[in-house]
Amino acid sequence: MRRLATRFVAGDKLEDAIRVIKTLNQKGICASLDLLGENTTTPDEARKTAHEIINILETINHTGVRANVSVKLTQIGLALAPTLCVENLSLILEKARQLGNFVRVDMEDSNVTQATIDIVCQMREKGYQNVGIVIQSYLYRSDKDISRLVDGGISVRLCKGAYKEPSSVAYPKKHDVDVAYDRLTAALLDGALGHNAPSVSSDGRIPPLPALATHDVRRINYAKNYAGKINLPKTSLEFQMLYGIRRDLQDQLAAEGFPVRVYVPYGTQWYPYNMRRLAERPANVWFIVSNFFRN
Ligand code: FDA
C-alpha cells in the first residue's frame, strides 16, 4: 500500500505537493491541491484541518504555483455538525477570496450529497463566488442537481463517482454511468455558453464553469466534439485527471490547447483514497503484488 501511495499521492508534506505542482506547471498543467483526510471525528481535528487548508492557500500564494484547492466537507466537520462545517468552510473561502483563489468541494458518498449541495449553495448566497462543487454521473439524481447548479452559474466538476453505492441511488451498470456522463457533459457545456463561457483565469486558479474529470478517452472525445459543435471556446472548459493516472493524456490535451488540471493529493491519510483507486482498476492490485515480490 505504501508503494501504491507513492504512485497516487505526491508525498506526506505540503512541500512534496508543491514540488509536484511546479513540474506540472512547467508543462502548462494546473493543479488542485488536496490535503488527504475524511470523516474527521472531533471538532478540534476539523478546525485544525481548516487551518491547514488555509495554510495551503497561503503557500500557493507565496510560491506562485498555478493551483487551487479541493476540500471534503467531512474533513472539516460535516459528519459532526453542519454548523461547524459551515464555519470552517467560511474561513477557508474568506482566505481564498482575499488571495484570489478558488475552492472545489469534493463529493463524497450519497449520504452527504444533499448536505454538500446545500452548503455550497448557501456559501454562494453568502456572496462567495469562489466555490465550486463536484457531481457524480452514477447518481440518478444528478440531472436535476446539474440543472440547479447550472442555473446558479456554479462551477461543476463532473466525475463518474468513486464510492460504493446501492442500486437504489446509482446506476449499477458502467454503460449507464457513461451515457449519463455524456448527457451531463452536454448540459454543463450548454450551461457555460449560457453564462458567457468564462475562461480559466490567467493565473490558472479560477477554473472555467465546466470541469470534466475523467481518464476515459471516449468521454473526453465526446466533450471535445460537443464543445466544437456548440462553438464553446477550448479555454471555457477544463479537463481534470488524478495525479499518477494517464500522464500521456494529460500532456496531449494540454498540447491541444485545453486547460488541464491535475488533482494532487498529499498527506499521511492516504488509505481510503488509495482503496478507491484500487477498486477502480483491478490491474492496480497487480501493481502492488508485483512490487511486493520485487522487494
Ligand atoms: P473509468 O473508470 O472508466 O476509467 C477510464 C480509464 O482511466 C481506465 O481504462 C484506465 O486507463 C484509467 N483509470 C481510471 N482509474 C484508474 C486508476 N485508479 N488507476 C489506473 N488507471 C485508471 N469521485 C468522487 O466520487 N468524488 C470526487 O469528488 C471526485 N473527484 C475527482 C477529481 C478528479 C480530478 C478526477 C479525475 C476524479 C475524481 N473522482 C471523484 C473519481 C472519479 O469518480 C472516478 O472514480 C475516477 O476518475 C475513475 O473513473 P474514470 O472517469 O477515469 O473512468
Side-chain angles (χ1 to χ4, degrees):
M1 283 306 286
R2 246 287 152 199
R3 286 203 161 254
L4 190 70
T6 59
R7 177 175 167 192
F8 295 122
V9 173
D12 286 353
K13 300 211 168 72
L14 178 54
E15 52 262 38
D16 300 325
I18 296 291
R19 205 174 314 118
V20 162
I21 294 175
K22 283 184 176 163
T23 312
L24 289 168
N25 287 174
Q26 277 162 8
K27 297 197 289 178
I29 295 174
C30 298
S32 194
L33 224 164
D34 170 59
L35 170 63
L36 288 163
E38 48 206 82
N39 291 314
T40 300
T41 52
T42 67
D44 275 355
E45 210 188 318
R47 280 192 200 97
K48 191 169 156 253
T49 304
H51 286 284
E52 279 182 53
I53 295 168
I54 286 171
N55 176 45
I56 296 175
L57 286 163
E58 282 165 347
T59 306
I60 290 175
N61 204 49
H62 75 73
T63 54
V65 290
R66 295 168 66 80
N68 57 35
V69 297
S70 289
V71 176
K72 286 186 174 51
L73 293 189
T74 67
Q75 192 179 19
I76 53 168
L78 181 61
L80 300 170
T83 47
L84 171 69
C85 174
V86 166
E87 203 179 287
N88 284 332
L89 186 60
S90 304
L91 291 175
I92 294 169
L93 291 179
E94 190 55 47
K95 178 53 78 178
R97 181 158 67 184
Q98 279 166 21
L99 298 174
N101 213 327
F102 174 89
V103 177
R104 177 78 63 185
V105 174
D106 284 346
M107 189 56 82
E108 301 176 72
D109 68 70
S110 61
N111 292 318
V112 293
T113 308
Q114 191 60 51
T116 305
I117 294 174
D118 289 346
I119 290 176
V120 168
C121 290
Q122 192 185 327
M123 290 296 154
R124 295 277 304 195
E125 278 157 23
K126 271 194 181 173
Y128 292 111
Q129 300 298 308
N130 58 336
V131 62
I133 195 166
V134 180
I135 292 292
Q136 299 149 325
S137 75
Y138 63 17
L139 294 185
Y140 304 136
R141 58 174 289 162
S142 290
D143 292 86
K144 272 196 192 146
D145 291 335
I146 289 243
S147 153
R148 173 181 175 194
L149 296 162
V150 161
D151 283 350
I154 301 178
S155 173
V156 174
R157 172 202 291 155
L158 180 64
C159 68
K160 292 189 188 180
Y163 297 81
K164 190 151 178 46
E165 297 289 359
S167 60
S168 53
V169 298
Y171 297 107
K173 292 199 184 118
K174 182 174 164 34
H175 174 73
D176 294 329
V177 178
D178 289 346
V179 169
Y181 196 97
D182 292 347
R183 186 173 67 240
L184 297 170
T185 293
L188 287 176
L189 299 187
D190 287 337
L193 263 193
H195 284 89
N196 300 322
S199 290
V200 60
S201 64
S202 58
D203 60 10
R205 291 178 185 170
I206 318 288
L209 287 173
L212 304 167
T214 181
H215 316 90
D216 183 340
V217 179
R218 289 197 185 140
R219 310 286 73 76
I220 291 170
N221 285 339
Y222 177 89
K224 280 159 69 171
N225 290 335
Y226 193 83
K229 202 168 99 187
I230 64 169
N231 289 322
L232 184 72
K234 280 182 175 174
T235 52
S236 301
L237 70 146
E238 178 171 274
F239 289 107
Q240 298 194 351
M241 294 189 209
L242 300 176
Y243 174 68
I245 302 182
R246 293 301 312 259
R247 292 191 183 112
D248 56 335
L249 196 52
Q250 298 167 15
D251 294 345
Q252 183 199 315
L253 287 165
E256 286 173 26
F258 288 101
V260 177
R261 190 176 303 276
V262 170
Y263 186 95
V264 178
Y266 83 94
T268 52
Q269 296 185 44
W270 39 261
Y271 188 80
Y273 180 84
N274 281 342
M275 288 309 282
R276 289 195 289 274
R277 303 294 77 81
L278 269 185
E280 275 155 10
R281 199 160 181 253
N284 290 336
V285 176
W286 284 108
F287 178 83
I288 301 183
V289 172
S290 61
N291 274 294
F292 181 79
F293 285 113
R294 211 173 288 151
N295 289 290

